[in-house]
Amino acid sequence: ANDACLALAEHAAGSVADFVSRMNEKAQAMKLTATTFQNPCGLDEPGHLSSVHDLQILASRAMQQPEFARVVGLPEVEIRTLAGRTIRKPSGNLLLGRVPGAVGVKTGFTSRAGKCLAALVRRGVTLPKRGLPSRARADKDGARQGAAFSLNRLETRFRLVLCGPSRRRRRR
């Protein structure tokens, strides 16, 4: 996936550096004040940073694009090879198909950030969580989400739920 990301960046802008420059210009135009890109793939690199607030803006904007919204909301994709073989790949977003109203966005992992999830749920309650390290945890969190949503059925706005690693500072 990262090779494809780099190839697309080079094709779109002529070089990875020029593509990253465009990404940073777009981030400034979108007022993503805590975001700076160092690479197009989201890999750990000094200075490659964002914030929950900026990711919410970015994900909300991306979800306004119908094709993006359709693709990231798929609970599974089916790929057919030229030889006719069919490969099924489930989404890494364990909320899809398990939490009513979950419509997708993006999962990810880096050594520095750990397991991350930016998810849009079409209900009105946002419950911050700390990562999804296991299917059992996803089941538990999904049930908690469902219970919270049932308490607030009147609100119909879109909200973003962001999950990331638990990083407790150690006392010295």
Side-chain angles (χ1 to χ4, degrees):
N2 295 325
D3 289 342
C5 170
L6 294 172
L8 289 169
E10 286 179 0
H11 177 74
S15 73
V16 170
D18 286 345
F19 189 82
V20 171
S21 179
R22 288 183 186 182
M23 290 173 66
N24 284 314
E25 288 170 11
K26 186 69 169 179
Q28 286 180 342
M30 292 176 65
K31 297 184 172 52
L32 305 180
T33 58
T35 297
T36 54
F37 297 107
Q38 299 298 319
N39 65 73
C41 306
L43 299 174
D44 289 334
E45 193 170 323
H48 191 93
L49 304 167
S50 194
S51 68
V52 170
H53 180 259
D54 284 3
L55 290 174
Q56 180 177 7
I57 293 168
L58 184 60
S60 294
R61 176 78 67 87
M63 290 298 285
Q64 292 173 9
Q65 302 300 314
E67 184 63 9
F68 179 87
R70 184 188 72 75
V71 169
V72 299
L74 295 172
E76 178 180 85
V77 295
E78 189 173 282
I79 303 163
R80 288 197 181 92
T81 67
L82 293 175
R85 183 174 161 226
T86 299
I87 302 167
R88 289 197 171 127
K89 169 85 173 82
S91 171
N93 183 346
L94 299 179
L95 299 180
L96 292 173
R98 304 175 121 199
V99 174
V103 294
V105 185
K106 174 78 175 90
T107 62
F109 175 84
T110 68
S111 297
R112 188 169 178 209
K115 293 181 179 181
C116 298
L117 170 66
L120 184 63
V121 178
R122 291 185 186 187
R123 299 268 177 113
V125 178
T126 302
L127 296 178
K129 294 185 299 213
R130 294 289 190 195
L132 297 175
S134 70
R135 194 166 289 278
R137 171 94 184 261
D139 288 340
K140 179 180 173 186
D141 287 345
R144 194 177 307 143
Q145 287 271 352
F149 289 146
S150 67
L151 295 175
N152 191 0
R153 293 179 183 266
L154 299 176
E155 192 171 345
T156 58
R157 292 183 295 170
F158 294 89
R159 293 284 176 96
L160 183 74
V161 180
L162 289 160
C163 306
S166 178
R167 298 245 188 240
R168 292 192 179 142
R169 294 182 186 211
R170 293 183 182 159
R171 293 183 182 164
R172 294 182 185 186

